[in-house]
Amino acid sequence: MTGRSSLLAGLALALALTACRREERRFSEPQVLVARRERAVAPPSSEPVAAFVDNAWSVSEGQRLFGWYNCAGCHSLAGGGGMGPPLRDATWIYGGSPEEIHRTIVEGRPNGMPEFGSRVPDYQIWQLVAYVLSLSGRLRQDVEPGRPEAIALGQPPAMTYEKKPVPANKGTHP
Amino acid sequence: MALGLAALANACDYRRGALDPISPEALTIDILWWVFFWTSLFVLTGVLIALAFALYRGHARGKSSDTRAELTPDAALERRTERAVLAASALSVVILVALLVGSVFGGRALFRTPQAPLHAKVIAHQWWWEIQYQGKTDSDSVATANELHLPAGVPVDLELHAADVIHSLWLPNLHGKRDLIPGHTSHLVLRPTRPGRYDGHCAEFCGLQHARMELSVTVEPPEVFSRWLTEQRRPAAAPAAPDARRGAELFARGPCALCHNVVGSEASASAGPDLTHVASRPFLAAGALPNSPLNLRNWLSDPQAFKPGAQMPPTGLRADELDDLVAYLETLR
């Protein structure tokens, strides 16, 4: 191999290595329920936001939890909105920064948004925040989750055929 | 050699194995297995004896003759060799075709789905089994997790689903493996004959905790089975003891009720296993731990320590809260 092509190969390898960062995943998460007892003095989370927001694993986990914790019940699957406001657009009633979304989930908001801080561990709330951010296309494209298969809920439309009247004396065997 | 084989045979737990069939289908697999085993052993022995014989004769001849004589073709020897090769090839073809025919017919027998009076649904999740016995109405239906009860002598039609990725249901004593595929319904008809406790496993790699995805199978006389089913239909009663009452409150208001269902209480989510009769089950977390109050407490305090990657998050509960919660869950029999 010439010096130039090995340099190119090395560069390509280095580029490929940078792609590994987005799939980081940890097994022992800090056991924190934020608003459980010290609701008034909710401590600022020690987790750097970027660890969740720049991480494909945590975004896809957030996608799963969005269904499991029934966020979809009010905001609809993929955040189109229903009983609750849509999460796909640029309108944010209580602020659209990661910290503000986190606060909304932890403490709840008037007119229907329940507080989840005493029920959902903090790291999962951050995963939900990451997923909510992805709904309005505000994440790096390579960490965004694929379209959920569950979006096609229900039966596919039934195939219907027009019944043509069978003419008499035709198509029948003697 | 014989002693070693006997020791090996002892080491296998036959209760778990496909070599202890308790249904017609498993018997078919068992017979096929032994036919293949003895045929292969017979062929292997024959080949080794022929090889030893050829080596011995070649060695004996090599001593007596020089290289030149070795290279001149010996017509009689050539003919004999040709006949031997032809005979061995013909025998191989006959044996292979016979095995193929046996295998095809055995496979066809396994894929027959006879009519079954009892229906149950098995839904595979990462990493546990959801079992539903459908009744005529919703309140007749029973949902449980990681335990399959079957009446002996009654065919049961299992409807197989997968919630996330491809799994495979393997009940070695009862049947062959059958895949569970998301978006696709498959069926497995079980015809157990002998009561007892058997094991089932996931047989398709399905993620981090594939190894801890066990299913306990209990085959029991039909009257015992229907008693069990009636018992499972009973909703959970509100607990009487004060600690269990606090536990129930915590369960409904805290993190548990976001994922779990307890019939008869406020908790009615469906992401995790139904816990209406959790204390009566043989193990926790699909075989990760035997079911005991202490194990339950340890599991609740940090599920990830016992089953890293499992979908149950750390609950972040205090020690006294854990005690109350365990007291409540132990009333769910």
Side-chain angles (χ1 to χ4, degrees), chain B residues 65 116 140 272 308:
Chain B
S65 65
D140 261 2

Side-chain angles (χ1 to χ4, degrees), chain A residues 33 36-37 64 119 123, chain B residues 252-253 255 311 315 318 321:
Chain A
L33 289 175
R36 187 154 184 77
R37 282 165 294 272
R64 180 172 62 77
R119 296 183 150 221
Y123 75 91
Chain B
R253 305 260 169 265
Q311 311 287 23
T315 48
R318 291 191 312 258
E321 290 175 322

